[in-house]
Amino acid sequence: MDQVASQQLDARLAYVAAEGELKQPFKDELPTRQAQLSTLQDTEEFDVLVVGGGATGSGCALDAVTRNLKTALVERNDFSSGTSSRSTKLIHGGVRYLQKAIMKLDYEQYMMVKEALHERSNLLDIAPHLSAPLPIMLPVYKWWQLPYYWAGIKMYDLVAGGQCLKSSYVLSKNKALELFPMLKKDKLVGAIVYYDGQHNDARMNLAIALTAARHGAAIANYTEVVHLLKKTDAGTGKEKVCGARCRDVITGNEFDVRAKCVINATGPFTDSLRKMDDGKNTNICQPSAGVHIVIPGYYSPDNMGLLDPATSDGRVIFFLPWEKMTIAGTTDTPTDITAHPIPREEDINFILNEVRNYLSPDVEVRRGDVLAAWSGIRPLVTDPNSKDTQSICRNHIVNVSDSGLVTIAGGKWTTYRSMAEETLDAAVAAHRLGGGPSKTVGLVLEGGQDWSPTLYIRLVQDYGLENEVAQHLAATYGGKAFDVAKMARVTGKRWPIVGNRLVSEFPYIESEVRYAVKEYACTAIDVIARRTRLGFLNVQAADEALPRIVDIMGKMLDWSDKKRTEELEAAKKFLYLEMGYRSRSEQLTGTTEITLDTQEVAKYTNRFHKFDKDSKGFITTVDVQRVLQNISVQIDENALHEILNEVDLNKNGQVELNEFLQLMSAVKKGQVSDSRLAILMKTAEESLDLRGPVTVDRSGGGV
């Protein structure tokens, strides 16, 4: 039996043992959010109240409830709305940490990598639908680096031991270019390929939270802590934390949740809760912003990532295929703590420049190809128990305050489970909760139980879904994909039979919005950012899907017209500020310099006048429709309004000649790519003489 098969068998045995001792009171149907809120209010006292619904908080809730502790969790926003949905999407031990451990003979760093590699293996096993091994190439441009990097990567394999995903290997220059043809050829001497894990981070976080709910934890998003409840301990006379005053953010209703132990798992907001406990507490969180960008899938092979181990300023950049797109990042810069981090233009350009350094000159890396960009805040922490309070803790810290508040802070996505186990061990010891040891190793997460690599075929055969849609549902919901398929509406077409897409170029379907409400989605942002990942993949497509999403949610949640408008505006603001849509608009503004030569100005002016037959100095949808009719092309009027609106800088419902020239100048400089209006007008001009039928499809649209 090979290592991987043995490792999978061990995990399954652990799962069987864990399942034998556990009950799932909500195996068939999850309680509604309202039912969860009622449980929070009506329960006399919980054993554990977790504050924070990110990966670590959700992991703590799952660890607690599977120890048979009466468990509650509250999150002031949505599950995974913070850092946990804005990661690099890797499940990894940390190659660079191992390098530091070896170079500095640092045993603590070595053990951190070893623990992370164990957790990587476990996470791949307990959520096989959401995660998979990913080969990552490390290109080598100097001969002496080849044995150096090879030794380091082989050590990474050795530390993983029996939990090594697949053995790393060395590639010749030709083989490296065959596997990664976009790679820069000049001075390339070879490459090393190693394996780490990749996952859908927000869906993984949600799976952890939903699994906790299945096992009986009372969990509620959009429920914030107003202040902590305290009582005087009869034995010591000291004040002890005994719960929290909570507020339903949606209704404004306030209520008390009492618990023997309160766990602070609020990530970057760790200090807010610590200061609720004791106003004299000093800050331990030192936030760092990590920006990522998404560019079209053609920038990388379908199943091969790239690691730049030494960027121009010493940072590490990953360049990875994800959800049929390419994700690149990350930066690491000090930042202020905020619930709404915004990607900075300078960070986006830094990543693009690093990507250019590793790709062939034949591949033009354009600013306009950035489809989405986001910033996540890493909660680096100092240890409050350490004498040197300025020293950053490289791992995580678990701290129990004098009043009994248990804080878990720092760490990384991959080790959420072991962090949760350590936190609950500390909580059980400090508050004498009982409940036994952790049972989460091998405990399969929501959707993983009935998943198989061929599950999507049954979805196609049984429901008449498109192949791409079926694969997406299987990879997102696992065994629960059948529940989503059952909610899909008939299309009225010969094929697919069911499953209307939200936008044509992505496999997300309308029934996912309906299912998202069952998964506690309360806002349109929840759907575009975390139940689906549309907002992270293409902000323009997400913006187009919003009206339909709001319409579906509005019917399910009985929203008024005012509420629907508010939801639409809030989601558009989210895309504009937090997902990089603003960056797109800044590439084309009223002050954009026109850098076209005389011939180009004449060429584009002539093209413009073919649409502006009346020499008005501007074009409207009526002008465009007239030309399209001449060449037998039909485009929906709403779609045409959207196309013109992208270029209409002063938002007066028409595109002036100067705006069109600014657009073509921005296209020339690579600031804007795949502009629908530019492609449409070029295609129409070429077809006017031929009078042949032409179709125009949007190719992605950069931000």
Side-chain angles (χ1 to χ4, degrees):
M1 184 182 294
D2 63 25
Q3 289 180 344
V4 174
S6 174
Q7 159 194 342
Q8 290 174 340
L9 177 61
D10 290 345
R12 292 303 300 167
L13 290 173
Y15 165 63
V16 170
E19 283 289 286
E21 301 173 29
L22 299 175
K23 297 176 183 177
Q24 285 194 48
F26 302 110
K27 188 172 184 178
D28 297 324
E29 190 79 17
L30 283 167
T32 63
R33 179 175 178 273
Q34 191 54 52
Q36 296 280 36
L37 287 168
S38 296
T39 302
L40 288 172
Q41 294 174 59
D42 298 342
T43 301
E44 186 177 341
E45 185 181 48
F46 289 95
D47 292 316
V48 173
L49 168 62
V50 181
V51 182
T56 306
S58 299
C60 287
L62 180 57
D63 192 286
V65 76
T66 51
R67 296 188 193 215
N68 294 318
L69 298 174
K70 197 179 291 184
T71 305
L73 179 147
V74 294
E75 160 61 47
R76 75 173 180 181
N77 203 296
D78 186 28
F79 304 114
S80 196
S81 58
T83 309
S84 297
S85 63
R86 304 173 192 233
S87 73
T88 311
K89 323 303 179 196
L90 284 178
I91 310 170
H92 61 131
V95 173
R96 57 189 174 135
Y97 298 125
L98 183 61
Q99 179 193 25
K100 291 176 183 176
I102 294 170
M103 299 297 287
K104 297 181 180 179
L105 300 176
D106 189 329
Y107 183 72
E108 181 190 346
Q109 194 115 250
Y110 166 80
M111 289 306 296
M112 185 175 77
V113 174
K114 191 171 180 65
E115 177 190 51
L117 289 171
H118 167 74
E119 293 301 322
R120 177 189 72 177
S121 172
N122 181 66
L123 195 49
L124 287 166
D125 284 331
I126 64 176
H129 57 305
L130 291 170
S131 60
L134 176 71
I136 299 175
M137 182 182 290
L138 199 163
V140 180
Y141 288 90
K142 294 177 181 175
W143 280 108
W144 68 266
Q145 290 180 332
L146 202 58
Y148 173 76
Y149 285 140
W150 179 84
I153 294 297
K154 274 299 168 190
M155 181 63 72
Y156 194 59
D157 289 351
L158 287 171
V159 173
Q163 294 170 328
C164 178
L165 301 179
K166 291 183 182 180
S167 274
S168 57
Y169 53 91
V170 177
L171 293 172
S172 66
K173 174 180 179 177
N174 288 339
K175 192 64 179 176
L177 291 171
E178 182 183 323
L179 291 174
F180 209 120
M182 310 84 176
L183 209 55
K184 185 171 71 176
K185 303 173 188 177
D186 189 35
K187 297 182 181 178
L188 182 70
V189 298
I192 300 165
V193 175
Y194 74 98
Y195 286 80
D196 256 327
Q198 187 178 49
H199 70 153
N200 184 336
D201 54 2
R203 291 293 317 183
M204 185 73 81
N205 191 157
L206 187 64
I208 299 164
L210 294 180
T211 306
R214 295 268 182 211
H215 284 90
I219 67 172
N221 53 351
Y222 294 99
T223 306
E224 67 178 349
V225 171
V226 179
H227 61 80
L228 295 173
L229 303 177
K230 291 190 176 183
K231 65 180 180 183
T232 303
D233 185 278
T236 62
K238 292 182 179 179
E239 280 198 326
K240 295 290 183 181
V241 173
C242 63
R245 179 72 172 176
C246 297
R247 185 175 75 91
D248 181 349
V249 174
I250 294 172
T251 65
N253 181 41
E254 292 193 8
F255 54 91
D256 291 340
V257 179
R258 299 198 172 272
K260 296 173 185 173
C261 169
V262 176
I263 294 175
N264 174 12
T266 53
F269 303 96
T270 294
D271 291 319
S272 298
L273 210 65
R274 292 181 71 248
K275 288 183 176 180
M276 277 189 194
D277 177 32
D278 183 350
K280 296 177 183 177
N281 279 333
T282 56
N283 289 344
I284 62 169
C285 183
Q286 298 189 19
S288 172
V291 170
H292 295 82
I293 63 172
V294 167
I295 50 183
Y298 54 69
Y299 274 100
S300 65
D302 290 341
N303 193 39
M304 179 70 75
L306 186 75
L307 168 64
D308 177 357
T311 63
S312 56
D313 67 351
R315 292 182 280 197
V316 170
I317 288 283
F318 285 100
F319 190 65
L320 311 165
W322 184 67
E323 300 284 321
K324 299 188 178 178
M325 295 294 179
T326 302
I327 183 173
T330 178
T331 59
D332 187 5
T333 51
T335 186
D336 295 327
I337 295 174
T338 172
H340 307 287
I342 298 170
R344 299 186 308 169
E345 185 64 24
E346 60 198 88
D347 289 326
I348 293 172
N349 285 318
F350 166 79
I351 296 170
L352 286 172
N353 286 331
E354 293 304 324
V355 168
R356 288 187 187 102
N357 291 338
Y358 271 83
L359 295 189
S360 166
D362 299 338
V363 180
E364 185 184 357
V365 181
R366 303 177 296 184
R367 173 62 184 81
D369 282 335
V370 178
L371 304 173
W374 68 86
S375 176
I377 299 178
R378 293 178 63 217
L380 303 175
V381 291
T382 56
D383 189 346
N385 299 321
S386 170
K387 291 180 181 178
D388 181 9
T389 56
Q390 297 303 308
S391 177
I392 292 285
C393 180
R394 288 165 295 184
N395 204 338
H396 60 270
I397 61 105
V398 177
N399 173 255
V400 182
S401 73
D402 291 340
S403 64
L405 177 68
V406 180
T407 293
I408 168 68
K412 52 197 284 192
W413 223 120
T414 306
T415 56
Y416 85 91
R417 192 214 61 81
S418 58
M419 289 162 58
E421 179 180 346
E422 185 181 332
T423 304
L424 264 294
D425 286 344
V428 166
H431 295 274
R432 299 172 185 167
L433 299 175
S438 175
K439 300 181 180 73
T440 52
V441 171
L443 182 64
V444 177
L445 300 180
E446 175 89 351
Q449 293 90 340
D450 302 315
W451 178 86
S452 74
T454 56
L455 182 146
Y456 76 94
I457 297 174
R458 286 177 54 202
L459 290 170
V460 175
Q461 293 175 338
D462 294 354
Y463 294 94
L465 288 161
E466 290 176 83
N467 189 57
E468 185 187 12
V469 170
Q471 288 179 324
H472 152 68
L473 293 182
T476 303
Y477 304 94
K480 300 295 180 184
F482 293 100
D483 295 338
V484 183
K486 287 173 188 173
M487 300 173 77
R489 303 279 171 85
V490 175
T491 63
K493 303 174 186 175
R494 186 183 62 80
W495 189 263
I497 298 170
V498 302
N500 292 301
R501 294 193 181 211
L502 288 168
V503 282
S504 60
E505 65 267 51
F506 287 92
Y508 301 113
I509 58 175
E510 292 179 356
S511 64
E512 291 182 77
V513 182
R514 301 182 187 98
Y515 192 74
V517 175
K518 288 178 173 286
E519 294 181 320
Y520 306 123
C522 298
T523 71
I525 297 173
D526 298 344
V527 174
I528 60 171
R530 294 172 286 275
R531 303 308 182 280
T532 73
R533 306 311 307 275
L534 193 52
F536 279 78
L537 294 171
N538 188 318
V539 292
Q540 193 171 329
D543 186 62
E544 289 175 16
L546 275 175
R548 184 61 186 136
I549 290 170
V550 169
D551 183 51
I552 295 169
M553 293 188 78
K555 289 174 182 174
M556 293 192 71
L557 298 172
D558 197 25
W559 286 345
S560 65
D561 289 343
K562 181 184 176 186
K563 173 65 174 172
R564 292 179 188 222
T565 302
E566 289 172 353
E567 280 295 322
L568 196 59
E569 290 176 353
K572 284 179 176 290
K573 182 179 179 182
F574 168 78
L575 292 173
Y576 183 75
L577 294 175
E578 297 183 51
M579 289 292 113
Y581 218 159
R582 182 177 73 169
S583 298
R584 173 188 177 278
S585 64
E586 287 174 349
Q587 300 309 306
L588 184 63
T589 68
T591 57
T592 298
E593 183 183 0
I594 297 174
T595 56
L596 302 171
D597 59 35
T598 307
Q599 285 184 322
E600 287 169 331
V601 169
K603 172 185 172 184
Y604 295 131
T605 301
N606 182 53
R607 181 177 299 171
F608 183 85
H609 285 312
K610 288 184 179 180
F611 285 77
D612 179 22
K613 284 288 186 184
D614 302 325
S615 299
K616 305 182 298 295
F618 62 85
I619 58 175
T620 65
T621 55
V622 175
D623 297 311
V624 178
Q625 284 284 28
R626 184 181 62 237
V627 174
L628 294 180
Q629 285 172 2
N630 287 339
I631 59 172
S632 304
V633 171
Q634 288 187 334
I635 291 183
D636 177 73
E637 188 175 347
N638 290 331
L640 203 53
H641 275 290
E642 289 176 2
I643 290 171
L644 261 67
N645 190 53
E646 292 169 10
V647 186
D648 180 13
L649 301 177
N650 55 16
K651 303 305 175 190
N652 61 356
Q654 55 200 34
V655 175
E656 284 90 8
L657 173 60
N658 199 57
E659 289 175 326
F660 181 65
L661 293 177
Q662 286 173 320
L663 166 67
M664 299 315 299
S665 181
V667 169
K668 177 185 176 182
K669 290 186 285 187
Q671 293 173 320
V672 173
S673 66
D674 300 326
S675 163
R676 290 188 282 177
L677 184 65
I679 293 171
L680 178 67
M681 292 179 71
K682 179 185 178 185
T683 305
E685 182 185 48
E686 291 171 349
S687 304
L688 277 171
D689 293 333
L690 299 174
R691 295 293 192 272
V694 179
T695 59
V696 179
D697 295 321
R698 184 162 74 78
S699 57
V703 300

